[in-house]
Short mmCIF file of all heavy atoms in Angstrom, two decimals:
data_model
loop_
_atom_site.label_atom_id
_atom_site.label_comp_id
_atom_site.label_asym_id
_atom_site.label_seq_id
_atom_site.Cartn_x
_atom_site.Cartn_y
_atom_site.Cartn_z
N PHE A 62 11.75 -16.45 -50.35
CA PHE A 62 12.44 -17.48 -51.01
C PHE A 62 11.66 -18.68 -51.55
O PHE A 62 12.17 -19.69 -52.03
CB PHE A 62 13.47 -18.16 -49.94
CG PHE A 62 14.77 -17.41 -49.88
CD1 PHE A 62 14.88 -16.43 -48.99
CD2 PHE A 62 15.85 -17.72 -50.70
CE1 PHE A 62 16.13 -15.65 -48.95
CE2 PHE A 62 17.02 -16.98 -50.64
CZ PHE A 62 17.08 -16.00 -49.72
N PRO A 123 6.97 -10.52 -49.93
CA PRO A 123 6.02 -10.07 -48.92
C PRO A 123 6.39 -8.70 -48.28
O PRO A 123 6.39 -8.59 -47.06
CB PRO A 123 5.78 -11.24 -47.96
CG PRO A 123 7.18 -11.92 -48.07
CD PRO A 123 7.65 -11.76 -49.39
N SER A 137 -3.89 1.66 -33.50
CA SER A 137 -3.78 1.54 -31.99
C SER A 137 -3.47 2.72 -31.29
O SER A 137 -3.62 2.88 -30.05
CB SER A 137 -2.77 0.36 -31.59
OG SER A 137 -1.42 0.68 -31.89
N MET A 152 -5.72 0.31 -47.57
CA MET A 152 -6.23 -0.88 -48.26
C MET A 152 -6.50 -0.67 -49.68
O MET A 152 -6.07 -1.54 -50.59
CB MET A 152 -7.53 -1.32 -47.50
CG MET A 152 -8.02 -2.59 -48.09
SD MET A 152 -9.72 -2.93 -47.17
CE MET A 152 -9.27 -2.84 -45.49
N PRO A 166 -3.66 -12.18 -62.42
CA PRO A 166 -5.02 -11.59 -62.52
C PRO A 166 -5.40 -10.92 -61.15
O PRO A 166 -4.88 -11.13 -60.11
CB PRO A 166 -5.82 -12.77 -62.79
CG PRO A 166 -5.10 -13.91 -62.12
CD PRO A 166 -3.66 -13.71 -62.37
N ALA A 169 -6.25 -12.93 -57.99
CA ALA A 169 -5.19 -13.98 -57.56
C ALA A 169 -5.13 -13.86 -55.98
O ALA A 169 -5.55 -12.91 -55.27
CB ALA A 169 -3.86 -13.48 -58.14
N LEU A 173 -5.66 -10.79 -52.99
CA LEU A 173 -6.73 -10.86 -52.00
C LEU A 173 -6.19 -11.00 -50.61
O LEU A 173 -6.67 -10.45 -49.55
CB LEU A 173 -7.66 -12.04 -52.24
CG LEU A 173 -8.43 -12.05 -53.45
CD1 LEU A 173 -9.30 -13.35 -53.72
CD2 LEU A 173 -9.32 -10.76 -53.63
N THR A 184 -8.23 -3.47 -38.03
CA THR A 184 -9.19 -3.87 -37.05
C THR A 184 -8.61 -4.22 -35.81
O THR A 184 -9.01 -3.91 -34.64
CB THR A 184 -9.96 -5.14 -37.66
OG1 THR A 184 -10.59 -4.72 -38.90
CG2 THR A 184 -11.06 -5.47 -36.69
N PHE A 195 -10.67 1.61 -22.48
CA PHE A 195 -11.57 1.10 -21.65
C PHE A 195 -11.05 0.82 -20.18
O PHE A 195 -11.55 1.28 -19.10
CB PHE A 195 -12.28 -0.21 -22.07
CG PHE A 195 -13.20 -0.84 -21.17
CD1 PHE A 195 -14.51 -0.32 -20.91
CD2 PHE A 195 -12.82 -1.92 -20.47
CE1 PHE A 195 -15.31 -1.03 -20.02
CE2 PHE A 195 -13.70 -2.59 -19.60
CZ PHE A 195 -15.05 -1.99 -19.39
N VAL A 196 -9.84 0.21 -20.26
CA VAL A 196 -9.15 -0.08 -18.91
C VAL A 196 -8.77 1.26 -18.34
O VAL A 196 -8.75 1.38 -17.08
CB VAL A 196 -7.91 -0.88 -19.23
CG1 VAL A 196 -6.98 -1.13 -17.98
CG2 VAL A 196 -8.38 -2.26 -19.73
N ARG A 202 -11.69 6.14 -13.08
CA ARG A 202 -13.01 6.12 -12.38
C ARG A 202 -12.79 5.59 -11.02
O ARG A 202 -13.28 6.26 -9.92
CB ARG A 202 -14.01 5.31 -13.11
CG ARG A 202 -15.54 5.51 -12.43
CD ARG A 202 -16.52 4.71 -13.11
NE ARG A 202 -16.54 4.96 -14.63
CZ ARG A 202 -16.31 4.19 -15.54
NH1 ARG A 202 -15.76 2.99 -15.28
NH2 ARG A 202 -16.39 4.53 -16.85
N VAL A 218 -14.01 14.86 8.98
CA VAL A 218 -13.23 14.97 10.24
C VAL A 218 -12.86 16.36 10.58
O VAL A 218 -12.90 16.76 11.77
CB VAL A 218 -11.87 14.17 9.98
CG1 VAL A 218 -10.88 14.49 11.02
CG2 VAL A 218 -12.16 12.61 9.92
N ILE A 225 -16.09 20.15 17.84
CA ILE A 225 -15.64 19.84 19.20
C ILE A 225 -14.81 20.94 19.69
O ILE A 225 -14.92 21.31 21.01
CB ILE A 225 -14.89 18.52 19.07
CG1 ILE A 225 -15.80 17.35 18.81
CG2 ILE A 225 -14.13 18.22 20.47
CD1 ILE A 225 -15.07 15.95 18.60
N GLY A 245 -11.63 35.67 42.74
CA GLY A 245 -11.13 36.97 43.06
C GLY A 245 -12.03 37.72 44.08
O GLY A 245 -11.45 38.38 45.08
N ASP A 256 -18.77 35.44 55.20
CA ASP A 256 -20.00 34.66 54.65
C ASP A 256 -20.04 34.90 53.14
O ASP A 256 -20.38 33.98 52.39
CB ASP A 256 -21.23 35.31 55.33
CG ASP A 256 -21.27 34.99 56.81
OD1 ASP A 256 -20.66 34.03 57.14
OD2 ASP A 256 -21.95 35.79 57.46
N GLY A 287 -18.86 1.20 23.04
CA GLY A 287 -18.49 0.12 23.94
C GLY A 287 -17.40 0.45 24.88
O GLY A 287 -17.17 -0.37 25.83
N THR A 293 -12.84 1.64 35.74
CA THR A 293 -13.66 1.11 36.79
C THR A 293 -12.73 0.58 37.91
O THR A 293 -13.31 0.22 38.93
CB THR A 293 -14.49 -0.07 36.28
OG1 THR A 293 -13.57 -1.04 35.62
CG2 THR A 293 -15.44 0.41 35.17
N PRO A 295 -8.39 0.93 39.64
CA PRO A 295 -7.00 1.55 39.46
C PRO A 295 -6.07 0.71 38.62
O PRO A 295 -6.37 -0.51 38.32
CB PRO A 295 -6.50 1.56 40.95
CG PRO A 295 -7.24 0.51 41.69
CD PRO A 295 -8.64 0.50 41.00
N GLY A 307 -2.24 -16.57 38.68
CA GLY A 307 -3.33 -17.48 38.81
C GLY A 307 -4.20 -17.66 37.39
O GLY A 307 -4.54 -18.73 37.10
N THR A 308 -4.25 -16.58 36.72
CA THR A 308 -4.86 -16.71 35.42
C THR A 308 -3.98 -17.54 34.48
O THR A 308 -4.62 -18.41 33.69
CB THR A 308 -5.05 -15.28 34.83
OG1 THR A 308 -3.87 -14.63 34.62
CG2 THR A 308 -5.92 -14.43 35.64
N ILE A 338 5.44 -5.94 32.65
CA ILE A 338 6.64 -6.71 32.11
C ILE A 338 6.45 -8.24 32.41
O ILE A 338 6.61 -9.09 31.53
CB ILE A 338 7.98 -6.30 32.73
CG1 ILE A 338 8.26 -4.82 32.18
CG2 ILE A 338 9.11 -7.25 32.46
CD1 ILE A 338 9.47 -4.16 32.90
N GLU A 341 3.62 -9.50 30.16
CA GLU A 341 4.01 -9.78 28.72
C GLU A 341 5.02 -10.99 28.63
O GLU A 341 4.90 -11.79 27.72
CB GLU A 341 4.66 -8.54 28.12
CG GLU A 341 5.02 -8.70 26.64
CD GLU A 341 3.93 -9.02 25.80
OE1 GLU A 341 2.84 -8.51 26.00
OE2 GLU A 341 4.15 -9.74 24.79
N VAL A 358 9.09 -16.82 38.26
CA VAL A 358 8.97 -15.29 38.33
C VAL A 358 9.68 -14.94 39.64
O VAL A 358 9.28 -15.50 40.63
CB VAL A 358 7.58 -14.82 38.21
CG1 VAL A 358 7.42 -13.30 38.46
CG2 VAL A 358 6.91 -15.23 36.94
N PRO A 365 18.85 0.40 45.37
CA PRO A 365 17.79 1.35 44.90
C PRO A 365 16.89 0.78 43.80
O PRO A 365 16.15 1.64 43.36
CB PRO A 365 18.73 2.57 44.45
CG PRO A 365 19.98 1.91 43.96
CD PRO A 365 20.17 0.73 44.90
N GLY A 385 8.84 -9.26 12.52
CA GLY A 385 7.60 -9.57 11.75
C GLY A 385 6.54 -10.04 12.85
O GLY A 385 5.44 -10.35 12.41
#
Side-chain angles (χ1 to χ4, degrees):
F62 276 91
S137 64
M152 186 184 305
L173 298 179
T184 305
F195 177 75
V196 172
R202 190 179 301 114
V218 169
I225 294 174
D256 293 337
T293 56
T308 59
I338 290 170
E341 183 59 33
V358 178

